[in-house]
Every structure is written in structure tokens, then in C-alpha cells.
Amino acid sequence: MLDRHVVPHLKPLLHRGARALHVRGWHADQVTVVGFAIGLGAVVAVALQAPVIALALLLLGRLADGLDGELARLHGPSEAGAFLDITLDFVFYALFPVGFALADPAANALPAAVLVASFVGTGASFLAFAGQADRLGIERVQFAYKGLTYLDGLAEGTETIIAFALMCLFPAQFATIAWAFAALCALTAVNRVVSGYRTLAGE
């Protein structure tokens, strides 16, 4: 929901950062892997109940996730790079709530599990539509900065980062935030399934 409004404002800053990395010989896939490793560090920090460190690593990892796309455009985007990027993004998103479940299983295990399940819904509808859209040549110009064509929704990357940041800032409220965001993700999945079906049926 917010990506289309936030990303255009971030792109000039990300482009400058990507150019600096490009000059130093960095490639997009390298930044993708480094960003994922930083994200894993955030999960470990959450599990060890170090939320401030987790927040810093979360934001640093997501910064890398923005830089790799801009780097890819400087080098020339690749299908392999787009595949690696989206795969590691989905793995990170699924693992982050697990860190809270490990930190306090009694309070956080169930809401973490439900949140991860809701991510399966948003992810499956995201990838299923992207595959069909690519085969049919459907394009969404508002998401031209993405390696895949997909349906937007209430819960996208920006909302996910905000939710994860709130979890780090208020770890005692993880369950409440997780339940609320899981509901938002469920609505997004339903919307994508309905919209995606109607769009593909029209083709």
C-alpha cells in the first residue's frame, strides 16, 4: 500500500549509494547476500533479547535490499539476481518472527506462527500471480522497479519493515503487533487472490 508512495522518494538516495558501491566493484548479488546475512544477525539479536541491535541490523539489512536493486540496474538486471533477491527476502521475512518466538516461546510462539502463516498467503499470491503475469506478458508500470510483476496490497515491504521495527522498539508488545499485522496480511492475501483471479480470467 505504501511502497508506491515511499519508494520513489528513496530511489535517488539509493541510486547514489549504489553508484558508490558500483565504483568500488560491488555487484548486486553480493549486496543481496550481505543484506540477507545482516538480516539473519537481526533474527539472532531478537532471539537473544537485544532489540536495539536487532532494529539497527534490520534497517541496515533492508538498506542493502534497496541498494541491490539499484546496483542491478547499473550492471544490467538479471533473472538470476531477481530470483535470489526475492527468495532471500521471503526467507528473512519468515525467520524474523521466529526470533521473537525463541526469545519468549510461551508468549510469542503462537502469534509468530500465525504471522508466518499469513506471510505464506501473501507470498504465495505474490509469486503465483507474478509467474502467470510474466507468461501472459502482463505488466504493472507502477512496479517497474521490481524484478517481478505483482499485485499490490495492504501489506507490502514498507508496512512489513514498519511492523518489524515496532516489534523491536516494543518487544513486550510483539504478540499484539503480530496479531494485527497477520490480519493485515490475511486481507492482503484475500485481495490478491480475488484481484489476481479476475485479472487472469480477463486475459
Side-chain angles (χ1 to χ4, degrees), residues 39-64:
L40 292 181
V43 176
V44 173
V46 167
L48 295 176
Q49 301 186 38
V52 175
I53 295 174
L55 177 60
L57 293 175
L58 166 68
L59 297 178
L60 187 59
R62 293 301 87 195
L63 173 62

Side-chain angles (χ1 to χ4, degrees), residues 85-171:
D85 180 44
I86 193 63
T87 300
L88 295 186
D89 277 353
F90 274 67
V91 173
F92 166 70
Y93 288 145
L95 287 176
F96 195 78
V98 175
F100 287 92
L102 293 172
D104 188 352
N108 296 339
L110 180 58
V114 172
L115 182 57
V116 172
S118 75
F119 287 167
V120 173
T122 56
S125 56
F126 174 103
L127 294 174
F129 181 82
Q132 295 296 325
D134 181 66
R135 188 174 64 84
L136 295 172
I138 300 172
E139 296 183 358
R140 295 297 175 97
V141 294
Q142 69 267 39
F143 300 115
Y145 59 89
K146 290 287 188 180
L148 297 170
T149 298
Y150 71 100
L151 294 164
D152 57 353
L154 296 173
E156 297 174 344
T158 301
E159 290 84 3
T160 304
I161 295 170
I162 291 172
F164 284 179
L166 289 173
M167 292 170 185
C168 292
L169 291 170
F170 307 102

Side-chain angles (χ1 to χ4, degrees), residues 26-77:
W26 282 80
H27 292 270
D29 293 352
Q30 294 173 315
V31 176
T32 298
V33 173
V34 169
F36 177 68
I38 293 171
L40 292 181
V43 176
V44 173
V46 167
L48 295 176
Q49 301 186 38
V52 175
I53 295 174
L55 177 60
L57 293 175
L58 166 68
L59 297 178
L60 187 59
R62 293 301 87 195
L63 173 62
D65 184 55
L67 289 171
D68 64 3
E70 291 300 313
L71 259 177
R73 277 175 277 281
L74 290 174
H75 285 284

